[in-house]
C-alpha cells in the first residue's frame, strides 16, 4: 500500500524536474539568440543607466540597422577593455557565471558604453569650446551626465576599420577608450565583439523604461 501511494508523488517530482529543465533550456536559447539580461554594476553610464539596473539586451538589434554614432552597446571587452587572465578557479568562475546569468551581478568582461567613433572616424578632444570632435566637427552630446565635461583627458585617434571608439556618459567616472590608447587594441573594440543593444530597463520597477536610441542622421553640432 505504501509503495502504491508513493508512485504518483514520484511521477509528480519527475514532471516538475523535467519542466524546470525545459524552462532553463528554452530560456538559455532565447537569451543566446534574441534577448539577454545584464546587470549594470557601475555609474559610468548615468543618467541613462545607473548602478543596479537590470537591462534587456537585444542580440538582434543591429542586424537590420547598422551601429550608428550615439548608440549604446553591450560588448565583450576581452582583449580590449578587460585584461586577459586565467580566471579565479573553476568553482569561483562557475558561481560568478551563474549569478551573472541570473542578472544578479555584473561581468568582469562585459561592458556597456556609447559609440562615439565609427570605423574610419577621427576622434579628438578637445576643441576650443571643450567639445569632443569627430572628423573635425564638435559632437552634440546631450546625454552627458550633468556637470561633467565632455572629457578632461586629451586624446586623438583614428578608428580602424572594424572597430569602435566607446565612451561612458558619466565621463568623470568612466574608464573607456580614452584610458586604453596604449593598451592592446588601442582601446577600440572590434565590431564583432558587440553583443547587442540595450532596449529596456526591467529592474528596479520604479525605473522600468525603454532605453532610447538616438535618431538616425547628423550627430555633430554642425549637422554632419
Amino acid at each position: 500500500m505504501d509503495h502504491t501511494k508513493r508512485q504518483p508523488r514520484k511521477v509528480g517530482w519527475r514532471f516538475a524536474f523535467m519542466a524546470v529543465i525545459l524552462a532553463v533550456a528554452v530560456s538559455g536559447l532565447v537569451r543566446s539568440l534574441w534577448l539577454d539580461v545584464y546587470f549594470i554594476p557601475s555609474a559610468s553610464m548615468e543618467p541613462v543607466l545607473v548602478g543596479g539596473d537590470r537591462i534587456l539586451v537585444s542580440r538582434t538589434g543591429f542586424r537590420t540597422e547598422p551601429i550608428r554614432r550615439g548608440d549604446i552597446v553591450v560588448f565583450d571587452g576581452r582583449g580590449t577593455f578587460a585584461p586577459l587572465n586565467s580566471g579565479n578557479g573553476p568553482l569561483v568562475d562557475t558561481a560568478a557565471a551563474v549569478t551573472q546569468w541570473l542578472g544578479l551581478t555584473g561581468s568582469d568582461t562585459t561592458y556597456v558604453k556609447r559609440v562615439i567613433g565609427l570605423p574610419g572616424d577621427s576622434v579628438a578632444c578637445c576643441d576650443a569650446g571643450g567639445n569632443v570632435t569627430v572628423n573635425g566637427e564638435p559632437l552634440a552630446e546631450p546625454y552627458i551626465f550633468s556637470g561633467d565635461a565632455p572629457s578632461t583627458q586629451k586624446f586623438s585617434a583614428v578608428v580602424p576599420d572594424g572597430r569602435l571608439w566607446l565612451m561612458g556618459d558619466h565621463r568623470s567616472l568612466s574608464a573607456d577608450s580614452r584610458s586604453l590608447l596604449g593598451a592592446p587594441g588601442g582601446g577600440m573594440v572590434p565590431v564583432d565583439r558587440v553583443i547587442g543593444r540595450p532596449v529596456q530597463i526591467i529592474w528596479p520597477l520604479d525605473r522600468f523604461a525603454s532605453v532610447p536610441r538616438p535618431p538616425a542622421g547628423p550627430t555633430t553640432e554642425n549637422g554632419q
Side-chain angles (χ1 to χ4, degrees):
M1 293 291 295
D2 290 340
H3 177 72
T4 57
K5 287 181 180 179
R6 284 196 294 267
Q7 284 297 103
R9 191 174 298 174
K10 288 182 179 179
V11 172
W13 277 110
R14 288 175 183 170
F15 178 81
F17 178 74
M18 292 304 296
V20 170
I21 293 298
L22 180 61
V24 170
V26 170
S27 176
L29 181 64
V30 169
R31 292 181 63 173
S32 65
L33 296 177
W34 294 290
L35 285 171
D36 209 342
V37 179
Y38 285 89
F39 174 86
I40 303 298
S42 75
S44 69
M45 282 302 294
E46 289 182 345
V48 176
L49 303 173
V50 305
D53 282 351
R54 274 75 168 178
I55 58 173
L56 272 183
V57 177
S58 171
R59 287 181 173 270
T60 60
F62 296 121
R63 291 184 185 174
T64 55
E65 294 184 53
I67 297 172
R68 57 187 181 232
R69 196 178 301 127
D71 274 329
I72 299 175
V73 296
V74 174
F75 62 97
D76 180 351
R78 287 176 294 181
T80 51
F81 274 50
L84 298 175
N85 58 58
S86 57
N88 299 306
L91 292 179
V92 174
D93 288 346
T94 299
V98 170
T99 57
Q100 290 160 18
W101 193 84
L102 293 173
L104 300 177
T105 61
S107 167
D108 292 335
T109 60
T110 303
Y111 296 80
V112 183
K113 299 293 179 187
R114 192 179 295 273
V115 177
I116 302 300
L118 295 168
D121 280 345
S122 296
V123 293
C125 183
C126 289
D127 65 5
N131 300 297
V132 171
T133 64
V134 177
N135 302 323
E137 298 293 338
L139 191 63
E141 298 192 279
Y143 41 73
I144 291 179
F145 186 80
S146 178
D148 271 6
S151 181
T152 57
Q153 178 180 341
K154 294 182 179 180
F155 59 85
S156 179
V158 176
V159 185
D161 288 343
R163 290 185 177 257
L164 302 168
W165 179 276
L166 304 173
M167 296 170 69
D169 290 354
H170 199 162
R171 298 286 161 83
S172 61
L173 296 180
S174 179
D176 46 43
S177 292
R178 297 171 295 169
S179 311
L180 298 165
L181 279 171
M188 288 171 268
V189 174
V191 174
D192 60 12
R193 288 299 186 99
V194 172
I195 295 168
R197 180 172 63 86
V199 293
Q200 185 79 31
I201 300 169
I202 59 174
W203 188 265
L205 292 180
D206 61 354
R207 284 186 45 76
F208 188 87
S210 60
V211 178
R213 189 181 188 193
T219 54
T220 59
E221 293 185 356
N222 293 336
Q224 297 184 18

